[in-house]
Amino acid sequence: MSNLIEKALEYKMNRRAFLKSTAVASAALTLAGCSGGLTQVSSEEAARLARKEGRWLSAACWHNCGGRCLNKAYVVDGVVVRQKTDDTHPDSPDFPQQRGCARGRSQRKQVFGVDRLKYPMKRKHWEPGGGRKELRGRDEWVRISWDEALDIVAGEIKRIKEKYGSRAIFVGGGNEISNILALYGGYVSHWGTTSWGSWRYTGDIIGLADGYFNFSHNDRFDLRNSRLIVLWGANPAWSSLGNPTYNYLQAKKAGAKFIFIDPIYTDAARVLGGEWIPIRPATDHAMLLGMAYTLITEDDPGTNPLIDWDFLNRCTIGFDADHMPPGVDPKENFKDYVLGTYDGVPKTPEWAAEICGVDPERIRSLAREIATTKRVALLTGWAPARVRNSDSWPQMFMTLGCMTGHIGQPGRMTGVSCHRSTADGGPPLVLPGSSGLPGIKNPVADSINDNEIWDAILKGKYTAGYNDIREINIQMIYHGGGATLQTRDGMIKGIEAHRKVEFVVSHSQFLTTNSRYADVVLPVTTEWEREGGLLTGNREILIYYTKITEPLYEARDDQWIAIEIARRLGLDPRQAYPISPKQQLFNQLAGAKVMKEDGSGFEKLLTITAADIAAWGVQGEPQQGRITLQEFQEKGIYQVPRKPGDKLGFIALKDFREDPQGHPLKTATGKLEIYSQALAKMVKDKGWTEIRPIPAYNPPREGYEDTFADWSKKIKGDYPLQLITPHYLRRSHSVFDNIPWLREAFPNHAWMNPVDAAARGIKEGDTILITSRHGKTLRPVHLTERIMPGVVACPHGAWVEMDEKTGIDKAGADNILCGAIPTGQGTSGWNSCNVQVERWTGAPLPPDDQWPLRIVF
Ligand SMILES: Nc1nc2c(c(=O)[nH]1)N[C@H]1C(S)=C(S)[C@@H](COP(=O)(O)OP(=O)(O)OC[C@H]3O[C@@H](n4cnc5c(=O)[nH]c(N)nc54)[C@H](O)[C@@H]3O)O[C@H]1N2
Ligand SMILES: Nc1nc2c(c(=O)[nH]1)N[C@H]1C(S)=C(S)[C@@H](COP(=O)(O)OP(=O)(O)OC[C@H]3O[C@@H](n4cnc5c(=O)[nH]c(N)nc54)[C@H](O)[C@@H]3O)O[C@H]1N2
Ligand code: SF4
Ligand SMILES: [Mo]
């Protein structure tokens, strides 16, 4: 108890210290030229600010965080003294506030963090051509002027282009610099399936949905009609902050039962109740085949109807020999594959159980439960698809929906529920206009799959397609945004690649991983320091954020940097940026549109007067819309009013189900494709591995089977455990990892089952060494039965902290462990990875909330 009181007192102090430092940070604007961090304001100054009235401004929370909320900053004399979230209207389940999470509410700690990069800088031992390249990541930093920095970057772009050509310049991220490099002859880009795993290119081809955001999910009100909601590899309570879990809770209150199929007993499962079926990562496909086998063998249309034959007949192709596309071998159908008619391997629940670890009886009973419950939502996150060789998984998931008919009717849906569309499907109801900037095409066609970026740099070749390996000689890495080194597989090779090329430059707000391994680092503003902008989120909202503070220190916008570099390259920057940032924002506002109440089409969102246009000093025409520009700016959000039974609901694939001939899908056959030649071709054309047109199980590289040295004799190998990398509350990917508050609130443990720990002499809180085929990392361990035996979870996104002597990362950076292995459609296979774990006997590892921040100057 005394501990608790001490903690409370400490908390108060921290809060006070925080308020002070927040105040200081903006005050430090005037001190931007000073070195040595932030200067304190006097307590009189703090007291003066506390007494003065300020203004609540809508403050951007712009990250790729899986949510989107309204956040506000209270600004007094240009100083942010506190934050709050949506209180623009009373909260109710039907018209919920858009409330921020702990990350968004800590945003001022990010923007005004003592570790913000203040000045342009270069590596001490950098010289044109690279200098001592092996010192990247461990060299000292030297402060330089903007002129020197821009001259170096433009000079290296010129030099490398002249010496090696535009195919020597690789861009890791950043639209602004990409535009300029495109005008200057082009650059090598990269592509991948990141978020969506194998949904990325599959959804469209099989007809279920586009792979991006879900059009396979009914809207949130309709979810309340479901009696059973299966969340297959999804944890909205961590990865879809904002309202999704709240929406699910309404479905629960309306009577839905929940089932979670996940290696972890998630917080979503804790909130929503129901049943947890633990499953081994990367084995979901096998389990579904076991369920399909049950339905096929037990279905009897007369006495035990389990299969929706009417749906299969009308809406799908490829299920059995009688429903095959013309001209293909009828033996290649799904049903005979499941029964093992031709391959001699019936995909029984017992066959599946050996792979996925779920009791065969539960596989059977779950299949029956889904088939006999009237209204079921079969929903998956993207995590089970972020698995190597998972190209047929979306099709398999869809096939269960087709067999049970849970598609296209109230309370019935099959598909993806993830990111900002979790628990709420359908097209956006409110949208921003376009900025009016021209699109600029990159003349270089080379684009490297995420799994081959580092190898391409190290080995000089990459896969461009089937039987198409191309030579490439990359000598410059340009990080104009994103966190590519940190967030793509195979970071050890990534670091090696960064030490190989002649030049690395990075724009960033902090000394992120990309910047740490660079030669020149350019400090950029955050959205709080820019002109303002619009953010989309769930389908019902549009957020308008405004400038909160002037740019801190010497930070500049990415667009400004791009323009300055363009000038130095002898280009006319107006080709890319013919209009000012203010005009760009105005265009987005003027073009914003909202769905009419009767659902018949869009109307303008904003009324803009001639006086508004004059006050903004921009080009435009007055217009009539639903709300005034002032109202939008003051509230910071427009939320479409909704109520049950309104005209804005959405039932995915409803028209198609009712009349498949009249509303064909965009697939080759117009139907949902359980047999898809186009899918098999797409995968083959990528050039790595092949699949069959039906959803046949394809054991993943580094999946469960690969934890065995000999699968047939069940002898375990050197990496006997499976690793998953869930998206965690502390961070949005790598963003926010440097915020002390969040570090303290959400410790960055690896999770492990006590059974696996006991076998290795590991106790709660011990430091463990996790080793994969690709690298090693340390983590304090949390032992819990909430993770199934055989699986270790290392939360996604921690900033790598490499011990140069041992080659061991101390931060638990997931992509030190996950290797870059291209398969299928180029899937980033983060949830298929094998590891070994041992107790760490080296130097103790203090908790990372006690680590020093990366303050350079
Ligand atoms: N092992 C493993 N790896 C994964 C995943 C996984 O589950 N496991 N998940 C993957 C997924 S789903 C995704 S989407 C990717 C995300 O991969 P990334 O998009 O690379 O990740 P972020 O950390 O969001 O990177 C954003 C970066 O931009 C910076 N930034 C923010 N604002 C600005 C700005 O205005 N200008 C500039 N120049 N920089 C800015 C941030 O500081 C941050 O460094 O990660 C993937 N990586
Ligand atoms: N807090 C937070 N939220 C985020 C993000 C973030 O970085 N932090 N990133 C956002 C982005 S860009 C994305 S793409 C989404 C990603 O969102 P999701 O794809 O839902 O991502 P995860 O959190 O990796 O995994 C969700 C659940 O799947 C389980 N799982 C992992 N592998 C498997 C498997 O093979 N089979 C099964 N059945 N379950 C599995 C995990 O244990 C976890 O409970 O999250 C978004 N939301
Ligand atoms: S869910 Fe995303 S947008 Fe909302 S407050 Fe959290 S980080 Fe910000
Ligand atoms: Mo993502």
Side-chain angles (χ1 to χ4, degrees):
M1 187 64 181
S2 69
N3 248 344
L4 198 69
I5 293 169
E6 268 166 36
K7 245 200 140 145
L9 285 173
E10 203 183 297
Y11 171 73
K12 258 198 196 155
M13 271 176 53
N14 285 344
R15 242 188 87 77
R16 230 180 286 137
F18 165 72
L19 279 177
K20 224 169 157 189
S21 73
T22 318
V24 168
S26 274
L29 273 173
T30 49
L31 306 171
C34 304
S35 61
L38 302 172
T39 322
Q40 304 270 323
V41 283
S42 63
S43 48
E44 293 83 60
E45 172 67 357
R48 188 187 69 79
L49 286 172
R51 277 194 307 273
K52 242 190 132 179
E53 198 161 336
R55 274 210 311 155
W56 283 108
L57 298 178
S58 171
C61 198
W62 65 96
H63 316 287
N64 184 9
C65 59
R68 191 59 76 224
C69 320
L70 180 64
N71 286 290
K72 291 200 164 175
Y74 192 65
V75 186
V76 187
D77 268 2
V79 175
V80 176
V81 293
R82 63 178 77 91
Q83 272 189 252
K84 70 173 179 181
T85 188
D86 190 5
D87 58 0
T88 51
H89 60 80
D91 185 63
S92 72
D94 290 352
F95 193 55
Q97 293 173 346
Q98 308 293 321
R99 294 191 199 166
C101 75
R103 296 167 297 177
R105 294 182 197 213
S106 316
Q107 190 82 259
R108 60 189 163 149
K109 294 293 272 183
Q110 194 198 39
V111 172
F112 302 113
V114 289
D115 53 346
R116 274 292 295 276
L117 293 180
K118 301 179 179 66
Y119 319 109
M121 54 198 201
K122 69 175 176 189
R123 199 163 61 74
K124 188 170 174 190
H125 294 92
W126 175 81
E127 285 163 26
R132 296 185 55 193
K133 298 191 286 188
E134 76 287 359
L135 289 183
R136 288 185 185 131
R138 48 194 166 199
D139 210 346
E140 282 171 56
W141 294 105
V142 179
R143 179 182 169 182
I144 53 177
S145 67
W146 267 109
D147 270 336
E148 184 181 352
L150 295 165
D151 287 347
I152 292 176
V153 176
E156 286 298 277
I157 294 172
K158 253 191 197 157
R159 187 184 66 77
I160 289 171
K161 184 191 166 188
E162 277 161 21
K163 187 162 170 198
Y164 303 103
S166 296
R167 289 179 79 238
I169 301 173
F170 172 76
V171 173
N175 291 337
E176 317 289 2
I177 199 64
S178 300
N179 284 337
I180 299 308
L181 289 168
L183 292 173
Y184 194 62
Y187 59 91
V188 176
S189 58
H190 62 111
W191 65 276
T193 65
T194 49
S195 307
W196 313 280
S198 47
W199 285 97
R200 178 75 159 94
Y201 302 112
T202 304
D204 289 319
I205 295 180
I206 59 176
L208 189 60
D210 74 334
Y212 291 78
F213 285 83
N214 76 81
F215 288 99
S216 51
H217 193 306
N218 300 356
D219 87 309
R220 64 185 172 99
F221 288 120
D222 179 68
L223 205 53
R224 301 177 193 173
N225 293 319
S226 297
R227 293 302 84 183
L228 171 63
I229 298 178
V230 181
L231 287 187
W232 201 307
N235 179 13
W238 277 16
S239 67
S240 309
L241 295 175
N243 287 321
T245 307
Y246 192 48
N247 292 339
Y248 279 132
L249 202 55
Q250 308 318 316
K252 179 187 160 87
K253 285 186 187 154
K257 172 191 166 183
F258 281 81
I259 295 178
F260 299 85
I261 304 176
D262 199 302
I264 291 179
Y265 178 67
T266 59
D267 278 354
R270 287 169 91 184
V271 172
L272 299 167
E275 188 192 354
W276 174 39
I277 301 180
I279 187 167
R280 293 189 185 115
T283 66
D284 304 278
H285 193 144
M287 171 152 169
L288 280 181
L289 283 168
M291 291 167 71
Y293 183 90
T294 306
L295 298 179
I296 292 169
T297 53
E298 294 184 4
D299 171 66
D300 180 329
T303 59
N304 188 28
L306 294 177
I307 293 182
D308 187 338
W309 287 102
D310 171 62
F311 188 85
L312 285 177
N313 284 331
R314 292 187 308 112
C315 301
T316 70
I317 190 109
F319 181 71
D320 59 19
D322 300 331
H323 296 87
M324 294 296 276
V328 307
D329 181 357
K331 286 184 181 164
E332 263 296 302
N333 71 82
F334 177 73
K335 185 176 158 201
D336 281 310
Y337 167 74
V338 173
L339 294 174
T341 314
Y342 305 108
D343 66 5
V345 184
K347 315 303 175 298
T348 61
E350 282 71 18
W351 169 89
E354 197 176 316
I355 301 169
C356 68
V358 181
D359 178 3
E361 250 339 289
R362 188 61 188 118
I363 296 179
R364 271 188 271 276
S365 62
L366 181 63
R368 294 176 200 129
E369 190 176 350
I370 290 172
T372 55
T373 303
K374 264 211 170 124
R375 295 188 300 277
V376 181
L378 287 173
L379 301 172
T380 175
W382 288 314
R386 290 199 294 270
V387 160
R388 299 178 209 299
N389 300 104
S390 63
D391 304 278
S392 305
W393 151 255
Q395 194 189 19
M396 182 65 239
F397 196 75
M398 176 191 85
T399 300
L400 179 70
C402 294
M403 291 174 75
T404 51
H406 294 306
I407 291 179
Q409 287 183 335
R412 308 181 82 190
M413 64 204 93
T414 296
V416 172
S417 180
C418 203
H419 208 272
R420 294 201 296 268
S421 323
T422 306
D424 196 9
L429 298 172
V430 53
L431 282 165
S434 117
S435 67
L437 289 179
I440 296 182
K441 202 174 159 339
N442 177 13
V444 169
D446 300 83
S447 188
I448 305 174
N449 177 252
D450 286 338
N451 291 286
E452 288 193 343
I453 303 172
W454 312 132
D455 265 345
I457 294 175
L458 294 170
K459 296 185 183 153
K461 50 182 194 257
Y462 78 97
T463 309
Y466 185 71
N467 260 338
D468 186 359
I469 308 283
R470 295 195 190 165
E471 306 276 312
I472 194 104
N473 177 16
I474 288 167
Q475 290 299 344
M476 172 166 184
I477 299 176
Y478 203 126
H479 292 300
T484 313
L485 178 55
Q486 176 69 56
T487 53
R488 299 306 189 270
D489 286 283
M491 213 191 296
I492 297 272
K493 282 187 185 176
I495 292 172
E496 225 185 296
H498 278 68
R499 288 182 175 151
K500 176 170 185 262
V501 298
E502 292 188 359
F503 189 64
V504 185
V505 47
S506 170
H507 300 188
S508 70
Q509 296 146 349
F510 307 95
L511 193 65
T512 55
T513 303
N514 279 349
S515 293
R516 184 173 246 187
Y517 290 90
D519 295 316
V520 170
V521 176
L522 307 178
V524 291
T525 51
T526 67
E527 293 297 342
W528 283 26
E529 297 144 71
R530 295 183 185 169
E531 197 57 61
L534 298 177
L535 288 166
T536 54
N538 66 55
R539 65 195 292 255
E540 295 165 19
I541 61 166
L542 185 64
I543 288 173
Y544 175 16
Y545 61 91
T546 39
K547 187 182 210 171
I548 303 296
T549 180
E550 291 302 320
L552 293 178
Y553 312 100
E554 292 188 8
R556 298 284 181 271
D557 299 354
D558 295 291
Q559 205 170 99
W560 180 88
I561 296 171
I563 289 170
E564 288 301 313
I565 288 177
R567 289 210 177 98
R568 283 166 172 79
L569 294 173
L571 299 168
D572 178 2
R574 279 172 305 187
Q575 282 182 273
Y577 300 105
I579 51 175
S580 69
K582 196 161 202 177
Q583 182 76 52
Q584 292 164 35
L585 172 58
F586 180 83
N587 292 349
Q588 285 183 289
L589 288 162
K593 55 187 187 174
V594 57
M595 182 58 70
K596 292 180 194 158
E597 250 174 71
D598 62 5
S600 64
F602 285 98
E603 61 186 332
K604 283 202 183 305
L605 177 65
L606 297 176
T607 296
I608 299 177
T609 62
D612 291 330
I613 295 167
W616 274 62
V618 291
Q619 303 283 315
E621 295 292 323
Q623 64 180 45
Q624 201 57 43
R626 203 181 275 190
I627 59 168
T628 63
L629 183 57
Q630 282 76 9
E631 183 185 342
F632 194 29
Q633 185 156 22
E634 264 154 41
K635 279 198 173 151
I637 186 167
Y638 182 76
Q639 183 174 347
V640 177
R642 293 228 39 210
K643 53 180 186 303
D646 65 15
K647 296 273 178 13
L648 306 174
F650 179 73
I651 306 284
L653 296 173
K654 179 171 177 284
D655 294 346
F656 167 71
R657 179 182 184 135
E658 281 165 6
D659 177 13
Q661 257 79 46
H663 299 275
L665 302 174
K666 289 192 191 110
T667 58
T669 55
K671 296 190 172 183
L672 293 166
E673 298 207 340
I674 301 173
Y675 179 99
S676 174
Q677 196 64 57
L679 179 63
K681 181 174 181 316
M682 181 273 288
V683 168
K684 183 177 175 180
D685 286 348
K686 301 283 183 200
W688 296 290
T689 55
E690 295 185 33
I691 59 163
R692 287 164 68 173
I694 47 164
Y697 179 60
N698 203 1
R701 283 283 298 280
E702 301 202 11
Y704 175 63
E705 292 87 332
D706 281 353
T707 63
F708 293 87
D710 186 336
W711 168 250
S712 63
K713 296 200 188 104
K714 296 288 176 296
I715 299 169
K716 279 284 187 179
D718 293 342
Y719 303 96
L721 301 169
Q722 288 186 271
L723 178 85
I724 53 173
T725 59
H727 293 224
Y728 186 42
L729 293 168
R730 180 198 283 191
R731 295 177 287 264
S732 168
H733 308 286
S734 65
V735 176
F736 291 115
D737 195 40
N738 54 332
I739 309 306
W741 277 6
L742 295 171
R743 286 193 170 189
E744 197 183 328
F746 306 111
N748 204 41
H749 288 119
W751 283 23
M752 201 177 178
N753 188 282
V755 171
D756 296 320
R760 291 165 173 80
I762 291 167
K763 294 190 302 298
E764 171 70 11
D766 279 354
T767 298
I768 55 170
L769 174 68
I770 314 175
T771 306
S772 77
R773 293 181 182 87
H774 315 280
K776 291 170 193 276
T777 189
L778 296 178
R779 263 323 58 217
V781 72
H782 175 49
L783 304 184
T784 171
E785 284 169 359
R786 288 179 58 190
I787 188 161
M788 72 182 293
V791 184
V792 178
C794 187
H796 162 55
W799 294 11
V800 70
E801 196 63 62
M802 192 55 88
D803 180 332
E804 291 288 344
K805 284 195 207 89
T806 57
I808 299 174
D809 161 50
K810 292 187 283 191
D814 44 356
N815 286 311
I816 287 288
L817 298 171
C818 301
I821 305 170
T823 62
Q825 58 189 276
T827 313
S828 291
W830 292 297
N831 291 322
S832 39
C833 179
N834 303 149
V835 294
Q836 179 55 295
V837 168
E838 63 200 270
R839 202 166 69 83
W840 175 244
T841 51
L845 185 73
D848 63 5
D849 58 309
Q850 292 168 21
W851 293 7
L853 293 172
R854 296 183 183 177
I855 302 171
V856 189
F857 298 112

